[in-house]
Amino acid sequence: MDDCCCAGLGDTASAETPACRVCQTKGARVDELTVKALLTEAALRRFEPGAYRFCPAATCEVVYFDDRGHTFAKRDVGVAVWQKEPAGARTICYCFGENESDMRNEIDQTGMSCAVERVREHITARRCACEVRNPRGTCCLGDVTAAVERIRDAMRRSVSRQ
């Protein structure tokens, strides 16, 4: 997405991409700064420099792993990682607090959510810090867009069943 706030590390999953040792899910590279910024004090004391990756598997407790066997679990991270939490009230945008509950309420009250537009405005104003605040270390705009669509679709299905 060309209107994102950060390019990330440009790493895409391939046959050589390391996988989480717990769930075998391949993970995208995350800058060490992101990992260190989000670890709890106790976990940061165990940090070893390395090429960390984000494990996106919802059912896996591991958030970060490297190819040497170092891992950090959900309990080691100071924020709730939305990909690993049950749907409903998860924070999707860690910089500006866009979350599923507010998106759902906005859609319920107005028929739409302006969360994507609000995040885009912040990106344009260069206020984002997704590379540090987002556990994936990348721009959240795609995640916010997908969350709005997911919530809107769920609400439509719910209404059509009534």
Side-chain angles (χ1 to χ4, degrees), residues 56-70:
T59 58
C60 185
E61 286 293 310
V62 172
V63 177
Y64 299 116
F65 65 92
D66 72 7
D67 57 357
R68 295 178 297 153
H70 298 113

Side-chain angles (χ1 to χ4, degrees), residues 143-157:
D143 295 330
V144 172
T145 301
V148 169
E149 290 301 317
R150 209 172 32 249
I151 292 165
R152 190 176 323 157
D153 290 346
M155 291 176 78
R156 283 184 192 139
R157 284 192 304 274

Side-chain angles (χ1 to χ4, degrees), residues 108-130:
D108 190 43
Q109 293 174 5
T110 69
M112 60 182 283
S113 171
C114 295
V116 172
E117 290 75 16
R118 286 190 295 271
V119 171
R120 276 198 180 116
E121 286 177 20
H122 290 303
I123 290 169
T124 301
R126 301 185 64 166
R127 295 183 191 115
C128 290
C130 291

Side-chain angles (χ1 to χ4, degrees), residues 9-147:
L9 296 176
D11 187 276
T12 57
S14 68
E16 299 84 35
T17 301
C20 172
R21 292 183 186 207
V22 172
C23 70
Q24 303 308 310
T25 300
K26 292 183 179 191
R29 182 84 194 280
V30 179
D31 192 279
E32 282 184 4
L33 177 62
T34 304
V35 177
K36 291 187 292 186
L38 295 176
L39 292 179
T40 63
E41 291 174 18
L44 187 56
R45 289 184 188 104
R46 297 190 331 266
F47 178 85
E48 295 287 333
Y52 284 90
R53 296 184 173 273
F54 176 80
C55 177
T59 58
C60 185
E61 286 293 310
V62 172
V63 177
Y64 299 116
F65 65 92
D66 72 7
D67 57 357
R68 295 178 297 153
H70 298 113
T71 61
F72 293 104
K74 287 171 37 175
R75 69 182 170 278
D76 298 319
V77 179
V79 297
V81 179
W82 79 259
Q83 292 90 338
K84 298 186 178 285
E85 297 297 322
R90 303 177 296 188
T91 295
I92 308 297
C93 173
Y94 290 84
C95 293
F96 305 105
E98 296 291 347
N99 64 72
E100 292 171 325
S101 292
D102 292 345
M103 292 173 196
R104 187 176 300 98
N105 290 338
E106 195 175 24
I107 293 168
D108 190 43
Q109 293 174 5
T110 69
M112 60 182 283
S113 171
C114 295
V116 172
E117 290 75 16
R118 286 190 295 271
V119 171
R120 276 198 180 116
E121 286 177 20
H122 290 303
I123 290 169
T124 301
R126 301 185 64 166
R127 295 183 191 115
C128 290
C130 291
E131 65 278 8
V132 176
R133 290 178 177 234
N134 184 343
R136 281 192 313 126
T138 60
C139 182
C140 70
L141 186 58
D143 295 330
V144 172
T145 301

